[in-house]
């Protein structure tokens, strides 16, 4: 086991940690039980920019062939839930509702996953080939 120091908000800080790796699990997201006074800088920016920083490091690391990102049900269920609803990749939580209800962690997961998919969908074939595998898990 080798440990590396990295910071979600420092671009490139994951590059050395990913060298030689074939897979990356991105599970980090800021979480506070209380004391959130600046949600944009304490939770939302680190979740979104941190996820994108990890993905940019993945793109710079040719050995990485699989990426797994843990998201949350929070990214899809808030404002969409009914007992008979079947969720698809087109379902997203209502960010305005999450913001107005001060659901900062839930909003951070929602915005981070949305930005992740936007990033992924803009990647060229140079980064995505038949040997690559990308998964987002939304655990219950």
């Amino acid at each position: 086991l080798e440990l590396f120091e990295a910071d979600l908000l420092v671009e490139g800080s994951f590059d050395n940690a990913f060298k030689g790796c074939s897979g990356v699990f991105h599970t980090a997201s800021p979480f506070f039980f209380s004391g959130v006074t600046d949600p944009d800088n304490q939770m939302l920016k680190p979740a979104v920019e941190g996820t994108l920083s990890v993905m940019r490091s993945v793109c710079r690391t040719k050995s990485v062939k699989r990426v797994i990102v843990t998201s949350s049900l929070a990214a899809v269920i808030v404002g969409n839930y009914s007992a008979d609803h079947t969720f698809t990749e087109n379902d997203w939580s209502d960010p305005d509702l999450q913001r107005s209800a001060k659901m900062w962690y839930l909003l951070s997961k929602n915005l981070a996953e949305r930005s992740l998919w936007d990033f992924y969908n803009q990647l060229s074939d140079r980064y995505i080939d038949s040997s690559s595998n990308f998964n987002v898990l939304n655990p219950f």
Side-chain angles (χ1 to χ4, degrees):
L1 175 65
E2 189 172 355
L3 301 177
F4 294 85
E5 183 175 345
D7 184 324
L8 287 171
L9 295 178
V10 175
E11 184 64 35
S13 70
F14 291 91
D15 291 0
N16 285 335
F18 294 172
K19 282 183 183 171
C21 292
S22 59
V24 170
F25 289 84
H26 176 48
T27 61
S29 193
F31 181 83
F32 300 93
F33 285 106
S34 63
V36 177
T37 57
D38 183 0
D40 287 320
N41 286 309
Q42 287 176 282
M43 298 188 75
L44 306 180
K45 180 180 176 183
V48 171
E49 291 303 317
T51 296
L52 295 176
S53 177
V54 166
M55 291 305 295
R56 287 188 291 265
S57 286
V58 163
C59 289
R60 289 190 291 269
T61 309
K62 301 302 177 206
S63 61
V64 174
K65 297 295 182 192
R66 175 169 288 180
V67 178
I68 297 175
V69 178
T70 55
S71 184
S72 170
L73 193 58
V76 298
I77 200 168
V78 177
N80 286 325
Y81 183 76
S82 68
D84 61 343
H85 183 73
T86 301
F87 286 91
T88 72
E89 62 273 3
N90 296 315
D91 287 304
W92 290 103
S93 288
D94 180 343
D96 295 328
L97 175 61
Q98 289 174 318
R99 188 175 288 278
S100 67
K102 298 183 180 181
M103 299 175 177
W104 305 124
Y105 178 74
L106 281 63
L107 179 59
S108 76
K109 297 302 280 186
N110 183 354
L111 298 179
E113 186 177 339
R114 285 178 189 243
S115 66
L116 171 70
W117 282 113
D118 288 344
F119 178 86
Y120 178 82
N121 289 326
Q122 292 175 14
L123 289 176
S124 70
D125 291 341
R126 175 176 167 226
Y127 298 108
I128 304 171
D129 62 37
S130 60
S131 66
S132 298
N133 190 297
F134 176 77
N135 298 289
V136 174
L137 304 176
N138 287 311
F140 287 85

